[in-house]
Amino acid sequence: MGSWTAIRCQCCVMPTIQTLAVIRLRESIKPETKKWLISVLESPTNHGGAHILVHPGEDDEDDILLLSATECLLLQTTECLGLAKADHYKSITTFSYKHRNNFLNSEKINIFLTFAEQQFLLKYEVENLKILQETCLPGYPEYRLYPGQHVVHFLQKWGIIVKFYPVHDKEKLKLLQKRWYKEISLAPQPIDTVRAYFGEPIALYFSFLGFFTLSLIAMVLLSYIPAFLQDSSDKYIIFAVFNVLWSTVTLELWKRHSATKAYFWGTLNLKKYLKLPRAEFWGTLIKNPITGRLEPHYPHWKRKMRIFFVTVPSVCIFLAIAIDGMDMYLYWETWIKHWYKQNTSKVAVIGLYLPSICYTLFMEILNSAYMKAATALTEFENHRLESSFQNHLTIKVLVFRFINCFGLLLYITFCLQDLQLLRKRLSSLLIVSQVINQFNESLLPYLKQRLKLDSVWVKKSKVDTYPFIDEVVSEGDMYSYPGLFDDYMELLVQFGYVSLFSSVYPLTAALLILNNITEIRTDAFKLCQIFQKPFSYPAASIGVWQTAFETLGFLSVITNCFLVAISPEIQAVCKKYEVGPEKILLYMLAAEHILIILKMILAFAIPDKPAWLQLKIMQMEYRSQEALKKMPLQDISN
């Protein structure tokens, strides 16, 4: 059932058609509704359909639809979205369906388009399916569809379509697992294979995780330098300067690396395809003054009222709880120190770390609770586009996580100026937080998934020749992939620990390397085994996270200069030469400005794209312009 019989269309003959995705319908769906949906999905595009291939499961009573697409449709959609592919000159060029014979392997669809690309193209066609004429939904007269509305969007909103998800290719998945995390090897991750199976966003995340982990080796090597220095005060200056330069060089080299990857993947210069409204978006149906179609509308002033009078106060309450937690930690830390002076037993030594461990647990619980609250608040704001929803959610979480994760460390640094407490706090964060994260991200989902599995899944794990229909149904019963937000947030916090504070705790980089080696394997495992396979989408970079990392890089200049200024060794030198606090402050500000200028010079000196890539992009733009000149005027207008 994984592949269908031969399909013939106007431009190609495909001997087998592979199932790419599944639509799960509500239980006991009315037959006329299912029949209508199949006809709409299968109808040619010029008749308002999606022109995809639909298999209604094992019998007509099944509540699933197996979806696939012909080679013609996949290639035409590739051109529509402006994806770039390698031509016979091995240059990456925007794909043209009319000139498809000029591209490498265009006649072999499974080589020309990756598995993830095929599933994305199918998803685009399904979600872009629009109603041409006003109609009632067959079998459910209370639901009415209007011209221009997206069919799948509203069927999901009404609960007719319960799930829409891509399926696994078991053979490809087994090969990927073997190369990725099942074999113990020092070989780099198979990023191109990950991209082919899971798509660019996930491949870019794992590539950045590996790139960041590799860059930490320089930090580890630097930690051995102080042993060779006669003047111990030099180590703070060396670490501080290196932290600033390291963060800049790492992020600039990553931009070059990701741009090169995006070029060969054909996503570097993407067209902006139509962004569909979120399924959760609601509003009053009014006529669009531009298109003349009835569309849901929600006034901007109402959304702003919700943000100002509900979201902002709610976020402030969580921030107040976080600050109160910091205050409680500092109180118990002071109390435990006094208690330790009166007790010299081994239990007292353990008690010294108790406030820090408890506060770390408090932080993690608060982070989890706030994430749920932030998601609910962003849903309440009723954003029309997914991009707008994600941007508002990201801003909320970044602001809170910065205060919750770095607020106490910055307070200890700038207000208390207690380097011993700062080291103690960092060690607790790096050890306790990583253990909690590994449990929450891998072990807990695995245990939940095992408890959720029914007898069908258990039977599937024991029998190799399990029916394909039951296979894809069991995949749909897995937990949905939560996305990369938490993974990038964890990396951002790690980057902050290294760039902001590692000059006073050199073990930071070594602990993070050990954690990330495990992180790569556990993240890969949960992606392949625990969660439902996610749909992909074209991506050329890590997006807004690049800006977040660079912002921390600039902040690291301030923290590192200040940590140097308050270090005991530097203070002793200043006291020896009778340098007052005012001069120390002036020296610190001067060093800060010099390092910021140096960061900017480095950022400009390292181009975002290699010279050969810039040349390739200009050649691609030139060929596109030449092709446009040769194109008939009628084709251009179409």
Side-chain angles (χ1 to χ4, degrees), residues 163-219:
K163 292 182 179 179
F164 176 35
Y165 58 93
V167 298
H168 277 294
D169 184 312
K170 297 302 177 183
E171 295 301 320
K172 289 185 175 70
L173 183 60
K174 286 179 181 178
L175 292 174
L176 175 59
Q177 288 173 315
K178 184 178 179 181
R179 291 186 57 198
W180 201 2
Y181 65 89
K182 285 191 173 181
E183 291 182 343
I184 299 176
S185 172
L186 295 177
Q189 298 180 79
I191 295 298
D192 289 330
T193 309
V194 174
R195 176 253 171 181
Y197 193 80
F198 285 110
E200 288 84 13
I202 288 174
L204 284 168
Y205 162 72
F206 279 97
S207 181
F208 182 72
L209 174 56
F211 190 91
F212 170 63
T213 304
L214 191 64
S215 71
L216 290 173
I217 295 176
M219 282 283 191

Side-chain angles (χ1 to χ4, degrees), residues 10 16 105 120 123 161 211 223 227 248 311 349 357 367 371 384 448 490 534 543 553 568 574 598 602 630:
Q10 295 178 355
T16 58
N105 300 312
F120 161 72
K123 176 178 181 284
I161 293 178
F211 190 91
S223 64
T248 306
T311 299
V349 176
I357 293 172
N367 281 337
M371 187 65 193
R384 181 178 182 273
K448 289 170 65 178
E490 183 181 350
C574 292
L598 187 57
L602 275 175
K630 297 177 182 178

